[in-house]
Amino acid sequence: MGAQIVTNGSFNQVPADGLVPGARAEVEFFPVFAANQEAVLIAPRLSTGTLADGEFQYLSGNGGQARELFGAGSIGERMAKAFRRANQTQPLIVIALDDEGTGVEASTTRAITGTATTAAQMRIYVGRQAGVVGVDIGDTASVGGDAIVTAVTAGDEDGESLPVTASNSTGTVTFTCRHMGEMGNEIEIDLGTIPAGLSHTAPASLTMTSGAGNASHAGGIAALSAADPAYIVTPHTDDPNMDRWDTEMSDRWGPLRQQYGLVFSARRGTLNE
């Protein structure tokens, strides 16, 4: 928020036809944000996370602490680490949210058939993360499915947890998002190149489906009541939560609170969506 004095110019909100003499003032947006202003990440946690629903904490270091706070493979962990990779100095607050109790996890299946005739390594891609799957000669589809489950559980090539879990039933592998909600519908599952002898038909869309019921941000907004962050980041873009933020930020930018700040979010989709 910057300050600007209007001497012989026009106001944006004070009526220009107000002819009664006197002093006039209005609050206007002139963004002057500094790198040392606080940023807030509001994100879902897993049941293994130690940060309670609606609780906030300053995050130090490279973001590694987020695994303990939000749970391994959680959206909160991934967001915090991504933030710290891009920005290592800005003060960062994280706020945990519980998944919606009636929500549904996104999921998808991949069916493998046949028996491997060559020994090879295949890479399974979960979003942009890759896990390595070892396949030996004579491995059946069921054995290959078990190998995929092992790879997903182990994490990617850098040892980072994946945002999905996997289970296998005689070669049909089911991938399930760790979180309930719509975010899982944007995760792509790609089995890449299948070793000779095994076969797999990729679906028309690689993304998981059927995720529904996002976490409510009401508790997170309440936790911010006394804070004054310049930047707020959330992974959700559903209408109820966007309406909550619209109400909150309109109040923050009002003359009585004057706390200001900006909210950032993003989603995968086309312009029409």
Side-chain angles (χ1 to χ4, degrees):
M1 173 70 180
Q4 179 170 308
I5 298 176
V6 178
T7 53
N8 292 315
S10 61
F11 289 99
N12 290 325
Q13 300 179 46
V14 176
D17 58 355
L19 303 181
V20 178
R24 303 289 187 270
E26 70 176 29
V27 178
E28 187 56 87
F29 170 48
F30 296 99
V32 186
F33 295 105
N36 63 345
Q37 290 176 308
E38 293 175 343
V40 173
L41 302 183
I42 298 182
R45 71 181 192 101
L46 297 174
S47 60
T48 53
T50 59
L51 196 62
D53 177 49
E55 185 180 3
F56 74 90
Q57 181 170 321
Y58 282 90
L59 192 70
S60 60
N62 62 3
Q65 186 185 9
R67 171 171 291 198
E68 175 186 348
L69 297 177
F70 288 92
S74 65
I75 296 297
E77 178 197 14
R78 297 166 66 81
M79 288 177 60
K81 288 183 175 180
F83 185 97
R84 276 298 180 229
R85 283 195 295 269
N87 186 331
Q88 299 179 9
T89 58
Q90 188 168 15
L92 179 62
I93 298 172
V94 293
I95 298 179
L97 301 174
D98 281 340
D99 280 342
E100 173 61 42
T102 59
V104 178
E105 300 94 341
S107 62
T108 189
T109 60
R110 299 290 186 270
I112 303 172
T113 59
T115 300
T117 57
T118 59
Q121 280 191 337
M122 57 181 285
R123 280 177 169 77
I124 174 174
Y125 293 91
V126 179
R128 295 184 177 182
Q129 292 177 274
V132 178
V133 180
V135 177
D136 294 324
I137 296 176
D139 280 355
T140 63
S142 183
V143 172
D146 286 340
I148 290 175
V149 171
T150 299
V152 169
T153 303
D156 68 10
E157 294 173 295
D158 297 321
E160 293 292 336
S161 299
L162 299 175
V164 302
T165 60
S167 61
N168 172 48
S169 177
T170 62
T172 297
V173 182
T174 299
F175 299 88
T176 305
C177 183
R178 293 183 185 272
H179 284 284
M180 300 175 184
E182 299 170 3
M183 294 179 300
N185 297 333
E186 300 184 13
I187 300 175
E188 293 185 346
I189 305 294
D190 187 357
L191 298 191
T193 302
I194 301 294
L198 296 175
S199 62
H200 158 66
T201 301
S205 174
L206 297 178
T207 56
M208 302 201 298
T209 60
S210 302
N214 291 335
S216 170
H217 287 207
I221 292 174
L224 276 178
S225 59
D228 191 20
Y231 312 101
I232 302 169
V233 183
T234 167
H236 297 123
T237 58
D238 57 283
D239 289 343
N241 279 320
M242 291 296 97
D243 289 344
R244 291 184 180 100
W245 282 112
D246 183 47
T247 300
E248 171 67 12
M249 299 312 292
S250 295
D251 192 41
R252 280 178 174 266
W253 278 89
L256 298 182
R257 290 181 65 178
Q258 299 186 40
Q259 288 184 299
Y260 314 111
L262 300 173
V263 178
F264 297 88
S265 190
R267 60 167 293 178
R268 182 195 301 270
T270 65
L271 181 60
N272 288 336
E273 294 174 323

